[in-house]
Amino acid sequence: MTSPVETKVPSLGGTDLRDVATAHTPFRTGRLVLWLVIALFVVNFAWIVANNENFGWPVVAQYFFDPVVISGLYVSLGLTVIAMILGVILGLIIAIAKMSQDGLASSFASLFIWFFRGTPLLVQLIFWYNMSTLFPQLSISIPFGPTLASWDTNSVITPMTAAIVGLALNEAAYMAEIIRGGLLSVDRGQAETAEAFGMTKARALWRVIIPQAMRSIVPPTGNQLISMIKATSLVSVIAMADLLYSVQSIYNRTFEIIPMLLVAVIWYLLITSVLNIGQSYIEAYYGRSDRRNAGVARPALDEEASH
């Protein structure tokens, strides 16, 4: 019998060229040239903007830490925190109501989401601010009976309360759908297993379902938080002294419109950048189980490949 001819693979410096460990990605000259061209355009644009006197960079530096601007920044941040907390709490309640088997609760949740997602946020804010036009008095009374307590609407619905109520209710409608999608992403067997171990539905939801759903809830919630920061600028139309309203009050006096708007833009960019970093850390925290599973599966695959 003739033995098969063995093809010898040349070696380079004692290294077998068949060894994939020595393989490397080929150098892509075209991609490097493309990146250099893009970088050149970006640097050129930044140079033009930095040296354009019409942007008024000295005015931007002068008013960036102005007490009026900082006060408006605090108002925007406070509105964002309060509206997001209320929106998440209400959104969770509405999401659970929409997923329930109770027809009344499910119908109410669907109607709530339909209305507040279907109307512009600016219109909702103006509506709440002008509530006294429809209801001059707010009262607590027994249906078709005597009034127990009454307040003047203008004393209750101030620009602050109108902004909080409008932002929170609008956010609750969006968070309800985000939370509902996250809860539906968890396998139904998890709830059945928890109930088999004697957990109530509420305890199973809090201890089993919600922690697993957080991986699907956190990313869109982070996006909603960033959107909320920008949405607070709408409260300037109801005379709420937020960041945008503060810079508007300054440029109405100094007529430095573009520089003052740049002050607001830079502050918004700084805040959203910090929130993006925080969101990435939170996503990494809730995704640690996937990394552990990947780390366990990797040695098993390597061992199987070695056989």
Side-chain angles (χ1 to χ4, degrees):
M1 293 180 63
T2 60
S3 59
V5 179
E6 294 183 358
T7 303
K8 293 185 177 180
V9 178
S11 61
L12 181 62
T15 303
D16 190 353
L17 296 182
R18 294 175 299 179
D19 188 0
V20 295
T22 62
H24 63 277
T25 304
F27 184 76
R28 299 180 179 180
T29 307
R31 176 171 294 184
L32 176 62
V33 173
L34 179 61
W35 275 105
L36 289 175
V37 171
I38 294 175
L40 181 63
F41 276 103
V42 170
V43 171
N44 181 64
F45 179 76
W47 176 262
I48 293 174
V49 171
N51 290 276
N52 190 336
E53 296 180 356
N54 295 326
F55 282 93
W57 296 114
V59 179
V60 174
Q62 176 185 353
Y63 286 98
F64 193 72
F65 293 104
D66 188 86
V68 176
V69 174
I70 298 302
S71 176
L73 177 64
Y74 287 154
V75 171
S76 294
L77 293 176
L79 283 175
T80 300
V81 172
I82 295 173
M84 279 302 300
I85 292 175
L86 294 177
V88 170
I89 295 173
L90 291 175
L92 177 60
I93 296 173
I94 295 169
I96 295 174
K98 189 173 182 179
M99 296 174 62
S100 69
Q101 302 297 323
D102 186 281
L104 179 61
S106 179
S107 299
F108 173 79
S110 299
L111 182 63
F112 181 94
I113 294 171
W114 168 78
F115 179 81
F116 285 100
R117 289 179 66 192
T119 54
L121 175 57
L122 180 59
V123 175
Q124 296 175 31
L125 290 171
I126 297 175
F127 176 86
W128 287 110
Y129 184 65
N130 293 278
M131 180 66 71
S132 61
T133 303
L134 298 175
F135 304 101
Q137 296 287 329
L138 297 177
S139 60
I140 300 176
S141 62
I142 298 174
F144 305 103
T147 299
L148 303 179
S150 179
W151 302 272
D152 181 64
T153 303
N154 284 327
S155 64
V156 176
I157 307 296
T158 63
M160 175 66 78
T161 54
I164 292 176
V165 171
L167 292 172
L169 292 179
N170 182 265
E171 188 63 26
Y174 285 93
M175 286 304 305
E177 290 296 272
I178 291 173
I179 294 173
R180 187 174 70 90
L183 296 176
L184 291 175
S185 68
V186 180
D187 185 77
R188 184 173 177 80
Q190 299 289 329
E192 295 174 352
T193 303
E195 293 178 11
F197 278 97
M199 289 187 179
T200 62
K201 290 185 177 180
R203 186 175 179 83
L205 178 68
W206 183 255
R207 298 295 299 273
V208 179
I209 306 301
I210 291 181
Q212 296 184 62
M214 289 300 290
R215 286 178 296 177
S216 301
I217 295 175
V218 167
T221 301
N223 295 335
Q224 285 298 115
L225 178 59
I226 293 172
S227 297
M228 176 62 71
I229 283 286
K230 296 178 291 184
T232 56
S233 62
L234 296 176
V235 302
S236 60
V237 301
I238 59 173
M240 189 70 193
D242 70 311
L243 178 58
L244 181 59
Y245 185 88
S246 299
V247 300
Q248 286 175 335
S249 67
I250 294 176
Y251 73 59
N252 286 334
R253 186 178 68 251
T254 64
F255 302 102
E256 299 284 357
I257 298 176
I258 298 300
M260 294 311 303
L261 288 178
L262 285 175
V263 170
V265 167
I266 294 173
W267 272 119
Y268 283 125
L269 287 175
L270 288 175
I271 296 170
T272 54
S273 298
V274 172
L275 292 177
N276 279 324
I277 296 173
Q279 179 182 350
S280 63
Y281 278 107
I282 295 175
E283 290 179 9
Y285 173 79
Y286 283 105
R288 65 191 188 278
S289 61
D290 291 338
R291 294 194 301 272
R292 284 200 299 264
N293 293 336
V296 172
R298 180 77 184 190
L301 291 175
D302 293 341
E303 182 179 354
E304 182 178 351
S306 64
H307 293 298

